[in-house]
Amino acid sequence: MTPLPSPRQLRYLVALAEHGHFGRAAAACAVTQSTLSAGIIALEQQLDAALLERTGAKRPVFTPLGLEIVARARAALGALEAVVETAAAAREPLSGPLRLGIIPTIGPFLLPRLMPRLRDRFPRLKLWLREDLTERLVEALEGGRLDLLLLALPCACGEAETEPLALDPFLAALPEDHRLAARERVPVAALGAERLLLLEDGHCLREHALDACGLPGAAAGEAFAATSLYTLVQMVASGLGVTLVPRLAVRGGVLAGAPVAVRPLDREVGRRLGLAWRARSPRAAEFRGLAPTIAEAIAAE
């Protein structure tokens, strides 16, 4: 029988690829650097293959074969974790640890309403949260570092399965003395003639806002971009332009006393919030079981 690499060896290799540094990879695996190095050398000897280039470079450099083995190691570790998850889900659904990734334009505004509901309905669920941009969350999901994502759809989610939850309509945010603030509803078409303030590249809300206004991928004349919805609101309050804010954020207090008027649009446009998880995850039924509770928190006033 062919001797197989151990999960520990594969974990060392994947950690080194993810952290790009022997010391940080060793810390992530809770071992010494020498232990991690010895484990990878033993793996190379077992496979009779060079996975790293020994060039004296400060950062580890993987050979082409090494990169392929890293990808297969991730898949193998994911399959092993799925064995454990399948057994745990059969014993008691929605219990134990769940690693949830959430984007910054949802997390601060939804979590205060969502977390009490989850604690009340699923008291044995241990939720670990990571807030980050969509692209990095999807990468962490594919790499097995997250189990479930709460984000805005559509998104570049790769092969992940998705579950739409609810529409989060956009509202126009305007300086209080802006001429459009006198209107009961703001025409979407009118925003195309305004200086539309946006979040910086990487935030999916930026693209959703541009799509809602029928604008191209870059707003004409844009000189500044915000890193958060809170900053965006303050820019509007200073009279720098107008923007679109999700209703979820307004209900979550993003205005915080800022001299900003919000008005509904003349037609319903917005982003659709949803869940994403790895295709064929053994916990898919559990994730779908969470959907009604999350949708309820989104709809709450």
PDB file of all heavy atoms in Angstrom, residues 232-272:
ATOM      1  N   LEU A 232     -18.859  57.795   3.950  1.00  0.00           N
ATOM      2  CA  LEU A 232     -19.646  58.237   2.803  1.00  0.00           C
ATOM      3  C   LEU A 232     -20.740  59.211   3.248  1.00  0.00           C
ATOM      4  O   LEU A 232     -20.948  60.259   2.616  1.00  0.00           O
ATOM      5  CB  LEU A 232     -20.259  57.006   2.127  1.00  0.00           C
ATOM      6  CG  LEU A 232     -20.620  57.103   0.644  1.00  0.00           C
ATOM      7  CD1 LEU A 232     -19.416  57.476  -0.195  1.00  0.00           C
ATOM      8  CD2 LEU A 232     -21.207  55.778   0.178  1.00  0.00           C
ATOM      9  N   VAL A 233     -21.413  58.894   4.340  1.00  0.00           N
ATOM     10  CA  VAL A 233     -22.475  59.761   4.860  1.00  0.00           C
ATOM     11  C   VAL A 233     -21.907  61.121   5.268  1.00  0.00           C
ATOM     12  O   VAL A 233     -22.514  62.173   5.007  1.00  0.00           O
ATOM     13  CB  VAL A 233     -23.188  59.075   6.039  1.00  0.00           C
ATOM     14  CG1 VAL A 233     -24.040  60.077   6.825  1.00  0.00           C
ATOM     15  CG2 VAL A 233     -24.061  57.936   5.535  1.00  0.00           C
ATOM     16  N   GLN A 234     -20.742  61.116   5.895  1.00  0.00           N
ATOM     17  CA  GLN A 234     -20.145  62.388   6.312  1.00  0.00           C
ATOM     18  C   GLN A 234     -19.729  63.226   5.100  1.00  0.00           C
ATOM     19  O   GLN A 234     -19.783  64.469   5.148  1.00  0.00           O
ATOM     20  CB  GLN A 234     -18.954  62.135   7.228  1.00  0.00           C
ATOM     21  CG  GLN A 234     -19.318  61.532   8.575  1.00  0.00           C
ATOM     22  CD  GLN A 234     -20.362  62.360   9.331  1.00  0.00           C
ATOM     23  OE1 GLN A 234     -20.279  63.588   9.380  1.00  0.00           O
ATOM     24  NE2 GLN A 234     -21.351  61.677   9.903  1.00  0.00           N
ATOM     25  N   MET A 235     -19.319  62.589   4.035  1.00  0.00           N
ATOM     26  CA  MET A 235     -18.985  63.324   2.814  1.00  0.00           C
ATOM     27  C   MET A 235     -20.231  63.971   2.224  1.00  0.00           C
ATOM     28  O   MET A 235     -20.187  65.112   1.743  1.00  0.00           O
ATOM     29  CB  MET A 235     -18.325  62.380   1.806  1.00  0.00           C
ATOM     30  CG  MET A 235     -16.932  61.923   2.230  1.00  0.00           C
ATOM     31  SD  MET A 235     -16.266  60.574   1.206  1.00  0.00           S
ATOM     32  CE  MET A 235     -15.971  61.423  -0.343  1.00  0.00           C
ATOM     33  N   VAL A 236     -21.356  63.256   2.272  1.00  0.00           N
ATOM     34  CA  VAL A 236     -22.616  63.834   1.813  1.00  0.00           C
ATOM     35  C   VAL A 236     -23.012  65.005   2.711  1.00  0.00           C
ATOM     36  O   VAL A 236     -23.418  66.070   2.231  1.00  0.00           O
ATOM     37  CB  VAL A 236     -23.735  62.767   1.793  1.00  0.00           C
ATOM     38  CG1 VAL A 236     -25.095  63.414   1.509  1.00  0.00           C
ATOM     39  CG2 VAL A 236     -23.429  61.700   0.760  1.00  0.00           C
ATOM     40  N   ALA A 237     -22.869  64.844   4.013  1.00  0.00           N
ATOM     41  CA  ALA A 237     -23.222  65.907   4.962  1.00  0.00           C
ATOM     42  C   ALA A 237     -22.402  67.164   4.726  1.00  0.00           C
ATOM     43  O   ALA A 237     -22.861  68.283   4.984  1.00  0.00           O
ATOM     44  CB  ALA A 237     -23.023  65.413   6.391  1.00  0.00           C
ATOM     45  N   SER A 238     -21.193  67.006   4.197  1.00  0.00           N
ATOM     46  CA  SER A 238     -20.322  68.153   3.924  1.00  0.00           C
ATOM     47  C   SER A 238     -20.615  68.798   2.574  1.00  0.00           C
ATOM     48  O   SER A 238     -19.923  69.736   2.165  1.00  0.00           O
ATOM     49  CB  SER A 238     -18.854  67.708   3.971  1.00  0.00           C
ATOM     50  OG  SER A 238     -18.518  67.249   5.269  1.00  0.00           O
ATOM     51  N   GLY A 239     -21.609  68.258   1.872  1.00  0.00           N
ATOM     52  CA  GLY A 239     -22.009  68.859   0.611  1.00  0.00           C
ATOM     53  C   GLY A 239     -21.152  68.466  -0.576  1.00  0.00           C
ATOM     54  O   GLY A 239     -21.175  69.140  -1.614  1.00  0.00           O
ATOM     55  N   LEU A 240     -20.409  67.355  -0.454  1.00  0.00           N
ATOM     56  CA  LEU A 240     -19.519  66.957  -1.534  1.00  0.00           C
ATOM     57  C   LEU A 240     -20.238  66.234  -2.666  1.00  0.00           C
ATOM     58  O   LEU A 240     -19.681  66.062  -3.747  1.00  0.00           O
ATOM     59  CB  LEU A 240     -18.400  66.068  -0.993  1.00  0.00           C
ATOM     60  CG  LEU A 240     -17.471  66.717   0.048  1.00  0.00           C
ATOM     61  CD1 LEU A 240     -16.429  65.715   0.519  1.00  0.00           C
ATOM     62  CD2 LEU A 240     -16.807  67.947  -0.546  1.00  0.00           C
ATOM     63  N   GLY A 241     -21.457  65.786  -2.411  1.00  0.00           N
ATOM     64  CA  GLY A 241     -22.192  65.064  -3.441  1.00  0.00           C
ATOM     65  C   GLY A 241     -23.347  64.304  -2.831  1.00  0.00           C
ATOM     66  O   GLY A 241     -23.767  64.567  -1.687  1.00  0.00           O
ATOM     67  N   VAL A 242     -23.870  63.341  -3.597  1.00  0.00           N
ATOM     68  CA  VAL A 242     -24.980  62.507  -3.144  1.00  0.00           C
ATOM     69  C   VAL A 242     -24.527  61.054  -3.226  1.00  0.00           C
ATOM     70  O   VAL A 242     -23.513  60.731  -3.842  1.00  0.00           O
ATOM     71  CB  VAL A 242     -26.240  62.729  -3.999  1.00  0.00           C
ATOM     72  CG1 VAL A 242     -26.621  64.201  -4.009  1.00  0.00           C
ATOM     73  CG2 VAL A 242     -26.029  62.219  -5.429  1.00  0.00           C
ATOM     74  N   THR A 243     -25.289  60.165  -2.621  1.00  0.00           N
ATOM     75  CA  THR A 243     -24.950  58.751  -2.695  1.00  0.00           C
ATOM     76  C   THR A 243     -26.200  57.909  -2.523  1.00  0.00           C
ATOM     77  O   THR A 243     -27.303  58.429  -2.289  1.00  0.00           O
ATOM     78  CB  THR A 243     -23.892  58.377  -1.631  1.00  0.00           C
ATOM     79  OG1 THR A 243     -23.361  57.086  -1.939  1.00  0.00           O
ATOM     80  CG2 THR A 243     -24.492  58.342  -0.231  1.00  0.00           C
ATOM     81  N   LEU A 244     -26.020  56.626  -2.662  1.00  0.00           N
ATOM     82  CA  LEU A 244     -27.071  55.657  -2.373  1.00  0.00           C
ATOM     83  C   LEU A 244     -26.666  54.867  -1.144  1.00  0.00           C
ATOM     84  O   LEU A 244     -25.523  54.406  -1.046  1.00  0.00           O
ATOM     85  CB  LEU A 244     -27.273  54.697  -3.550  1.00  0.00           C
ATOM     86  CG  LEU A 244     -27.819  55.294  -4.843  1.00  0.00           C
ATOM     87  CD1 LEU A 244     -27.879  54.230  -5.941  1.00  0.00           C
ATOM     88  CD2 LEU A 244     -29.194  55.901  -4.630  1.00  0.00           C
ATOM     89  N   VAL A 245     -27.579  54.722  -0.204  1.00  0.00           N
ATOM     90  CA  VAL A 245     -27.299  53.939   0.996  1.00  0.00           C
ATOM     91  C   VAL A 245     -28.339  52.834   1.107  1.00  0.00           C
ATOM     92  O   VAL A 245     -29.515  53.044   0.803  1.00  0.00           O
ATOM     93  CB  VAL A 245     -27.307  54.810   2.275  1.00  0.00           C
ATOM     94  CG1 VAL A 245     -26.127  55.749   2.295  1.00  0.00           C
ATOM     95  CG2 VAL A 245     -28.599  55.594   2.409  1.00  0.00           C
ATOM     96  N   PRO A 246     -27.938  51.650   1.535  1.00  0.00           N
ATOM     97  CA  PRO A 246     -28.909  50.565   1.715  1.00  0.00           C
ATOM     98  C   PRO A 246     -29.851  50.879   2.886  1.00  0.00           C
ATOM     99  O   PRO A 246     -29.440  51.461   3.889  1.00  0.00           O
ATOM    100  CB  PRO A 246     -28.035  49.347   2.031  1.00  0.00           C
ATOM    101  CG  PRO A 246     -26.645  49.742   1.658  1.00  0.00           C
ATOM    102  CD  PRO A 246     -26.568  51.211   1.829  1.00  0.00           C
ATOM    103  N   ARG A 247     -31.096  50.480   2.735  1.00  0.00           N
ATOM    104  CA  ARG A 247     -32.062  50.693   3.814  1.00  0.00           C
ATOM    105  C   ARG A 247     -31.611  50.012   5.105  1.00  0.00           C
ATOM    106  O   ARG A 247     -31.821  50.542   6.206  1.00  0.00           O
ATOM    107  CB  ARG A 247     -33.435  50.150   3.398  1.00  0.00           C
ATOM    108  CG  ARG A 247     -34.546  50.434   4.422  1.00  0.00           C
ATOM    109  CD  ARG A 247     -35.889  49.960   3.910  1.00  0.00           C
ATOM    110  NE  ARG A 247     -35.923  48.510   3.743  1.00  0.00           N
ATOM    111  CZ  ARG A 247     -36.936  47.848   3.184  1.00  0.00           C
ATOM    112  NH1 ARG A 247     -37.967  48.524   2.686  1.00  0.00           N
ATOM    113  NH2 ARG A 247     -36.906  46.535   3.077  1.00  0.00           N
ATOM    114  N   LEU A 248     -30.958  48.859   4.981  1.00  0.00           N
ATOM    115  CA  LEU A 248     -30.448  48.156   6.160  1.00  0.00           C
ATOM    116  C   LEU A 248     -29.519  49.050   6.963  1.00  0.00           C
ATOM    117  O   LEU A 248     -29.578  49.083   8.203  1.00  0.00           O
ATOM    118  CB  LEU A 248     -29.705  46.889   5.718  1.00  0.00           C
ATOM    119  CG  LEU A 248     -29.042  46.058   6.822  1.00  0.00           C
ATOM    120  CD1 LEU A 248     -30.102  45.381   7.680  1.00  0.00           C
ATOM    121  CD2 LEU A 248     -28.118  45.009   6.213  1.00  0.00           C
ATOM    122  N   ALA A 249     -28.643  49.791   6.284  1.00  0.00           N
ATOM    123  CA  ALA A 249     -27.695  50.664   6.973  1.00  0.00           C
ATOM    124  C   ALA A 249     -28.395  51.845   7.626  1.00  0.00           C
ATOM    125  O   ALA A 249     -28.020  52.274   8.729  1.00  0.00           O
ATOM    126  CB  ALA A 249     -26.631  51.162   5.993  1.00  0.00           C
ATOM    127  N   VAL A 250     -29.423  52.387   6.969  1.00  0.00           N
ATOM    128  CA  VAL A 250     -30.168  53.509   7.552  1.00  0.00           C
ATOM    129  C   VAL A 250     -30.873  53.046   8.819  1.00  0.00           C
ATOM    130  O   VAL A 250     -30.827  53.719   9.859  1.00  0.00           O
ATOM    131  CB  VAL A 250     -31.172  54.072   6.530  1.00  0.00           C
ATOM    132  CG1 VAL A 250     -32.068  55.120   7.182  1.00  0.00           C
ATOM    133  CG2 VAL A 250     -30.425  54.686   5.345  1.00  0.00           C
ATOM    134  N   ARG A 251     -31.506  51.896   8.761  1.00  0.00           N
ATOM    135  CA  ARG A 251     -32.167  51.359   9.955  1.00  0.00           C
ATOM    136  C   ARG A 251     -31.145  51.029  11.041  1.00  0.00           C
ATOM    137  O   ARG A 251     -31.462  51.074  12.230  1.00  0.00           O
ATOM    138  CB  ARG A 251     -32.961  50.109   9.598  1.00  0.00           C
ATOM    139  CG  ARG A 251     -34.209  50.381   8.775  1.00  0.00           C
ATOM    140  CD  ARG A 251     -34.912  49.075   8.404  1.00  0.00           C
ATOM    141  NE  ARG A 251     -36.184  49.309   7.746  1.00  0.00           N
ATOM    142  CZ  ARG A 251     -36.958  48.340   7.263  1.00  0.00           C
ATOM    143  NH1 ARG A 251     -36.566  47.071   7.368  1.00  0.00           N
ATOM    144  NH2 ARG A 251     -38.106  48.627   6.675  1.00  0.00           N
ATOM    145  N   GLY A 252     -29.912  50.716  10.627  1.00  0.00           N
ATOM    146  CA  GLY A 252     -28.867  50.374  11.583  1.00  0.00           C
ATOM    147  C   GLY A 252     -28.139  51.576  12.144  1.00  0.00           C
ATOM    148  O   GLY A 252     -27.183  51.405  12.901  1.00  0.00           O
ATOM    149  N   GLY A 253     -28.552  52.800  11.770  1.00  0.00           N
ATOM    150  CA  GLY A 253     -27.997  53.993  12.384  1.00  0.00           C
ATOM    151  C   GLY A 253     -26.818  54.614  11.670  1.00  0.00           C
ATOM    152  O   GLY A 253     -26.064  55.369  12.289  1.00  0.00           O
ATOM    153  N   VAL A 254     -26.664  54.363  10.370  1.00  0.00           N
ATOM    154  CA  VAL A 254     -25.500  54.909   9.672  1.00  0.00           C
ATOM    155  C   VAL A 254     -25.533  56.433   9.607  1.00  0.00           C
ATOM    156  O   VAL A 254     -24.488  57.083   9.517  1.00  0.00           O
ATOM    157  CB  VAL A 254     -25.382  54.296   8.260  1.00  0.00           C
ATOM    158  CG1 VAL A 254     -26.458  54.849   7.326  1.00  0.00           C
ATOM    159  CG2 VAL A 254     -24.005  54.540   7.680  1.00  0.00           C
ATOM    160  N   LEU A 255     -26.732  57.033   9.669  1.00  0.00           N
ATOM    161  CA  LEU A 255     -26.814  58.488   9.605  1.00  0.00           C
ATOM    162  C   LEU A 255     -26.326  59.148  10.886  1.00  0.00           C
ATOM    163  O   LEU A 255     -25.721  60.221  10.858  1.00  0.00           O
ATOM    164  CB  LEU A 255     -28.248  58.936   9.302  1.00  0.00           C
ATOM    165  CG  LEU A 255     -28.848  58.396   7.992  1.00  0.00           C
ATOM    166  CD1 LEU A 255     -30.246  58.927   7.802  1.00  0.00           C
ATOM    167  CD2 LEU A 255     -27.968  58.751   6.811  1.00  0.00           C
ATOM    168  N   ALA A 256     -26.606  58.537  12.022  1.00  0.00           N
ATOM    169  CA  ALA A 256     -26.078  58.959  13.328  1.00  0.00           C
ATOM    170  C   ALA A 256     -26.107  60.472  13.517  1.00  0.00           C
ATOM    171  O   ALA A 256     -25.121  61.092  13.912  1.00  0.00           O
ATOM    172  CB  ALA A 256     -24.653  58.442  13.505  1.00  0.00           C
ATOM    173  N   GLY A 257     -27.248  61.100  13.255  1.00  0.00           N
ATOM    174  CA  GLY A 257     -27.392  62.526  13.497  1.00  0.00           C
ATOM    175  C   GLY A 257     -26.777  63.427  12.453  1.00  0.00           C
ATOM    176  O   GLY A 257     -26.764  64.649  12.612  1.00  0.00           O
ATOM    177  N   ALA A 258     -26.241  62.863  11.375  1.00  0.00           N
ATOM    178  CA  ALA A 258     -25.634  63.688  10.327  1.00  0.00           C
ATOM    179  C   ALA A 258     -26.723  64.489   9.601  1.00  0.00           C
ATOM    180  O   ALA A 258     -27.844  64.002   9.422  1.00  0.00           O
ATOM    181  CB  ALA A 258     -24.884  62.807   9.332  1.00  0.00           C
ATOM    182  N   PRO A 259     -26.417  65.721   9.189  1.00  0.00           N
ATOM    183  CA  PRO A 259     -27.403  66.540   8.464  1.00  0.00           C
ATOM    184  C   PRO A 259     -27.582  66.058   7.031  1.00  0.00           C
ATOM    185  O   PRO A 259     -27.171  66.699   6.069  1.00  0.00           O
ATOM    186  CB  PRO A 259     -26.794  67.945   8.526  1.00  0.00           C
ATOM    187  CG  PRO A 259     -25.320  67.706   8.615  1.00  0.00           C
ATOM    188  CD  PRO A 259     -25.154  66.447   9.411  1.00  0.00           C
ATOM    189  N   VAL A 260     -28.188  64.895   6.919  1.00  0.00           N
ATOM    190  CA  VAL A 260     -28.376  64.243   5.625  1.00  0.00           C
ATOM    191  C   VAL A 260     -29.839  63.859   5.481  1.00  0.00           C
ATOM    192  O   VAL A 260     -30.443  63.331   6.428  1.00  0.00           O
ATOM    193  CB  VAL A 260     -27.479  62.993   5.500  1.00  0.00           C
ATOM    194  CG1 VAL A 260     -27.834  62.188   4.260  1.00  0.00           C
ATOM    195  CG2 VAL A 260     -26.015  63.394   5.470  1.00  0.00           C
ATOM    196  N   ALA A 261     -30.415  64.128   4.322  1.00  0.00           N
ATOM    197  CA  ALA A 261     -31.784  63.721   4.030  1.00  0.00           C
ATOM    198  C   ALA A 261     -31.756  62.425   3.231  1.00  0.00           C
ATOM    199  O   ALA A 261     -30.941  62.270   2.319  1.00  0.00           O
ATOM    200  CB  ALA A 261     -32.493  64.812   3.243  1.00  0.00           C
ATOM    201  N   VAL A 262     -32.630  61.487   3.595  1.00  0.00           N
ATOM    202  CA  VAL A 262     -32.750  60.253   2.806  1.00  0.00           C
ATOM    203  C   VAL A 262     -34.152  60.195   2.218  1.00  0.00           C
ATOM    204  O   VAL A 262     -35.131  60.518   2.888  1.00  0.00           O
ATOM    205  CB  VAL A 262     -32.467  58.992   3.652  1.00  0.00           C
ATOM    206  CG1 VAL A 262     -31.007  58.918   4.025  1.00  0.00           C
ATOM    207  CG2 VAL A 262     -33.330  58.934   4.883  1.00  0.00           C
ATOM    208  N   ARG A 263     -34.213  59.815   0.956  1.00  0.00           N
ATOM    209  CA  ARG A 263     -35.480  59.743   0.249  1.00  0.00           C
ATOM    210  C   ARG A 263     -35.542  58.432  -0.520  1.00  0.00           C
ATOM    211  O   ARG A 263     -34.537  57.974  -1.076  1.00  0.00           O
ATOM    212  CB  ARG A 263     -35.624  60.906  -0.739  1.00  0.00           C
ATOM    213  CG  ARG A 263     -35.611  62.288  -0.095  1.00  0.00           C
ATOM    214  CD  ARG A 263     -36.915  62.555   0.665  1.00  0.00           C
ATOM    215  NE  ARG A 263     -36.921  63.912   1.218  1.00  0.00           N
ATOM    216  CZ  ARG A 263     -36.468  64.227   2.432  1.00  0.00           C
ATOM    217  NH1 ARG A 263     -35.967  63.280   3.211  1.00  0.00           N
ATOM    218  NH2 ARG A 263     -36.515  65.466   2.867  1.00  0.00           N
ATOM    219  N   PRO A 264     -36.721  57.822  -0.600  1.00  0.00           N
ATOM    220  CA  PRO A 264     -36.856  56.629  -1.450  1.00  0.00           C
ATOM    221  C   PRO A 264     -36.706  57.023  -2.914  1.00  0.00           C
ATOM    222  O   PRO A 264     -36.876  58.194  -3.282  1.00  0.00           O
ATOM    223  CB  PRO A 264     -38.267  56.135  -1.137  1.00  0.00           C
ATOM    224  CG  PRO A 264     -38.994  57.330  -0.624  1.00  0.00           C
ATOM    225  CD  PRO A 264     -37.976  58.182   0.075  1.00  0.00           C
ATOM    226  N   LEU A 265     -36.380  56.047  -3.731  1.00  0.00           N
ATOM    227  CA  LEU A 265     -36.237  56.273  -5.163  1.00  0.00           C
ATOM    228  C   LEU A 265     -37.585  56.074  -5.860  1.00  0.00           C
ATOM    229  O   LEU A 265     -38.516  55.491  -5.285  1.00  0.00           O
ATOM    230  CB  LEU A 265     -35.185  55.332  -5.731  1.00  0.00           C
ATOM    231  CG  LEU A 265     -33.795  55.467  -5.101  1.00  0.00           C
ATOM    232  CD1 LEU A 265     -32.870  54.354  -5.594  1.00  0.00           C
ATOM    233  CD2 LEU A 265     -33.190  56.831  -5.384  1.00  0.00           C
ATOM    234  N   ASP A 266     -37.666  56.542  -7.092  1.00  0.00           N
ATOM    235  CA  ASP A 266     -38.941  56.437  -7.801  1.00  0.00           C
ATOM    236  C   ASP A 266     -39.211  55.026  -8.314  1.00  0.00           C
ATOM    237  O   ASP A 266     -40.292  54.751  -8.830  1.00  0.00           O
ATOM    238  CB  ASP A 266     -38.997  57.450  -8.949  1.00  0.00           C
ATOM    239  CG  ASP A 266     -37.944  57.185 -10.027  1.00  0.00           C
ATOM    240  OD1 ASP A 266     -36.991  56.425  -9.744  1.00  0.00           O
ATOM    241  OD2 ASP A 266     -38.073  57.740 -11.137  1.00  0.00           O
ATOM    242  N   ARG A 267     -38.241  54.159  -8.220  1.00  0.00           N
ATOM    243  CA  ARG A 267     -38.463  52.742  -8.513  1.00  0.00           C
ATOM    244  C   ARG A 267     -37.569  51.932  -7.584  1.00  0.00           C
ATOM    245  O   ARG A 267     -36.558  52.434  -7.089  1.00  0.00           O
ATOM    246  CB  ARG A 267     -38.181  52.402  -9.976  1.00  0.00           C
ATOM    247  CG  ARG A 267     -36.810  52.792 -10.471  1.00  0.00           C
ATOM    248  CD  ARG A 267     -36.708  52.560 -11.976  1.00  0.00           C
ATOM    249  NE  ARG A 267     -35.471  53.070 -12.541  1.00  0.00           N
ATOM    250  CZ  ARG A 267     -34.336  52.387 -12.602  1.00  0.00           C
ATOM    251  NH1 ARG A 267     -34.297  51.138 -12.130  1.00  0.00           N
ATOM    252  NH2 ARG A 267     -33.253  52.916 -13.151  1.00  0.00           N
ATOM    253  N   GLU A 268     -37.975  50.705  -7.339  1.00  0.00           N
ATOM    254  CA  GLU A 268     -37.255  49.899  -6.351  1.00  0.00           C
ATOM    255  C   GLU A 268     -36.013  49.287  -6.970  1.00  0.00           C
ATOM    256  O   GLU A 268     -36.086  48.426  -7.837  1.00  0.00           O
ATOM    257  CB  GLU A 268     -38.149  48.802  -5.788  1.00  0.00           C
ATOM    258  CG  GLU A 268     -37.548  48.124  -4.564  1.00  0.00           C
ATOM    259  CD  GLU A 268     -38.507  47.167  -3.892  1.00  0.00           C
ATOM    260  OE1 GLU A 268     -38.822  46.130  -4.504  1.00  0.00           O
ATOM    261  OE2 GLU A 268     -38.940  47.458  -2.754  1.00  0.00           O
ATOM    262  N   VAL A 269     -34.882  49.791  -6.519  1.00  0.00           N
ATOM    263  CA  VAL A 269     -33.598  49.204  -6.907  1.00  0.00           C
ATOM    264  C   VAL A 269     -32.808  48.974  -5.627  1.00  0.00           C
ATOM    265  O   VAL A 269     -33.013  49.659  -4.614  1.00  0.00           O
ATOM    266  CB  VAL A 269     -32.800  50.117  -7.858  1.00  0.00           C
ATOM    267  CG1 VAL A 269     -33.487  50.245  -9.190  1.00  0.00           C
ATOM    268  CG2 VAL A 269     -32.557  51.480  -7.238  1.00  0.00           C
ATOM    269  N   GLY A 270     -31.934  48.005  -5.641  1.00  0.00           N
ATOM    270  CA  GLY A 270     -31.158  47.733  -4.441  1.00  0.00           C
ATOM    271  C   GLY A 270     -30.248  46.539  -4.656  1.00  0.00           C
ATOM    272  O   GLY A 270     -29.948  46.150  -5.783  1.00  0.00           O
ATOM    273  N   ARG A 271     -29.814  45.981  -3.582  1.00  0.00           N
ATOM    274  CA  ARG A 271     -28.961  44.796  -3.631  1.00  0.00           C
ATOM    275  C   ARG A 271     -29.713  43.649  -2.981  1.00  0.00           C
ATOM    276  O   ARG A 271     -30.536  43.866  -2.074  1.00  0.00           O
ATOM    277  CB  ARG A 271     -27.644  45.064  -2.888  1.00  0.00           C
ATOM    278  CG  ARG A 271     -27.851  45.472  -1.435  1.00  0.00           C
ATOM    279  CD  ARG A 271     -26.551  45.732  -0.722  1.00  0.00           C
ATOM    280  NE  ARG A 271     -26.793  46.027   0.698  1.00  0.00           N
ATOM    281  CZ  ARG A 271     -25.841  46.110   1.605  1.00  0.00           C
ATOM    282  NH1 ARG A 271     -24.573  45.915   1.272  1.00  0.00           N
ATOM    283  NH2 ARG A 271     -26.134  46.377   2.868  1.00  0.00           N
ATOM    284  N   ARG A 272     -29.439  42.457  -3.394  1.00  0.00           N
ATOM    285  CA  ARG A 272     -30.084  41.290  -2.791  1.00  0.00           C
ATOM    286  C   ARG A 272     -29.094  40.625  -1.849  1.00  0.00           C
ATOM    287  O   ARG A 272     -28.009  40.236  -2.265  1.00  0.00           O
ATOM    288  CB  ARG A 272     -30.566  40.294  -3.852  1.00  0.00           C
ATOM    289  CG  ARG A 272     -31.374  39.137  -3.257  1.00  0.00           C
ATOM    290  CD  ARG A 272     -32.236  38.487  -4.288  1.00  0.00           C
ATOM    291  NE  ARG A 272     -33.268  39.356  -4.803  1.00  0.00           N
ATOM    292  CZ  ARG A 272     -34.426  39.581  -4.186  1.00  0.00           C
ATOM    293  NH1 ARG A 272     -34.684  39.016  -3.023  1.00  0.00           N
ATOM    294  NH2 ARG A 272     -35.317  40.389  -4.723  1.00  0.00           N
TER     295      ARG A 272
END
